[in-house]
Amino acid sequence: MPRALVLFSAARPPADNEVRTLVLPHPRGGEPALFARSGNALVELQRSKSDHGAWFVDDAAHAGAGVVVATPYDARLSLLSVLTTSATRRQFVPLEQVVAAAGHEGLRCLLDLDLGPLGAFCDEKDLGDGLRLVRLAEAPTVVDWLHGKVRRVAAV
């Protein structure tokens, strides 16, 4: 049974076609969610299946095959979720320690990604030699960052 993978503009497949799937806790409630990683890109995978309907792939119709939709995912949302539930959220601790303390092996892949600036929701101290300390920022800073993300999505 064929399956379709719908990729939105920012989630293009890599030239080497190497995509690895992983399960991470969803930042909203912690339930397992399926993600795919390719290089520095992370996408959330969601499957939609219906017993009624069909998908057109090339020149053929496939009934009830379902579709997997891949949407770009900001990995900093998972890091924010980990920081908000961390017992050390008000202390400067190594980023690796925060992720390890979360107790989910899949979250370690976040450390391999280029997360970009974390200053939008956490305070940072770079001690050199790759040692980066973080702590959760004050609530207004975090809320402003999240509101900005919502406004950008709503504008599309």
Side-chain angles (χ1 to χ4, degrees):
M1 189 178 313
R3 290 190 179 167
L5 179 62
V6 178
L7 294 172
F8 294 98
S9 61
R12 301 197 189 288
D16 64 2
N17 287 328
E18 183 180 334
V19 177
R20 291 175 293 178
T21 59
L22 60 147
V23 175
L24 296 174
H26 198 280
R28 182 180 57 237
E31 64 278 356
L34 186 61
F35 292 86
R37 177 180 176 196
S38 175
N40 235 5
L42 194 62
V43 293
E44 182 177 7
L45 301 175
Q46 295 179 335
R47 183 162 188 248
S48 174
K49 184 175 171 135
S50 172
D51 293 333
H52 309 288
W55 298 97
F56 291 96
V57 179
D58 294 325
D59 291 327
H62 301 278
V67 65
V68 176
V69 179
T71 53
Y73 179 76
D74 187 344
R76 295 178 297 175
L77 291 169
S78 287
L79 184 58
L80 175 60
S81 178
V82 168
L83 279 167
T84 58
T85 58
S86 171
T88 60
R89 65 180 167 266
R90 297 305 314 144
Q91 303 169 4
F92 279 104
V93 293
L95 182 58
E96 294 80 7
Q97 180 181 332
V98 172
V99 171
H104 193 287
E105 189 62 35
L107 288 171
R108 293 183 190 269
C109 83
L110 297 178
L111 301 173
D112 298 333
L113 297 172
D114 178 11
L115 295 171
L118 302 179
F121 59 87
C122 68
D123 302 320
E124 296 180 90
K125 285 186 181 181
D126 188 352
L127 301 181
D129 294 332
L131 184 57
R132 187 159 119 180
L133 303 179
V134 295
R135 74 174 175 195
L136 187 63
E138 296 296 322
T141 304
V142 176
V143 172
D144 288 345
W145 179 68
L146 291 171
H147 277 284
K149 291 186 86 48
V150 170
R151 280 191 298 274
R152 285 189 296 280
V153 169
V156 172

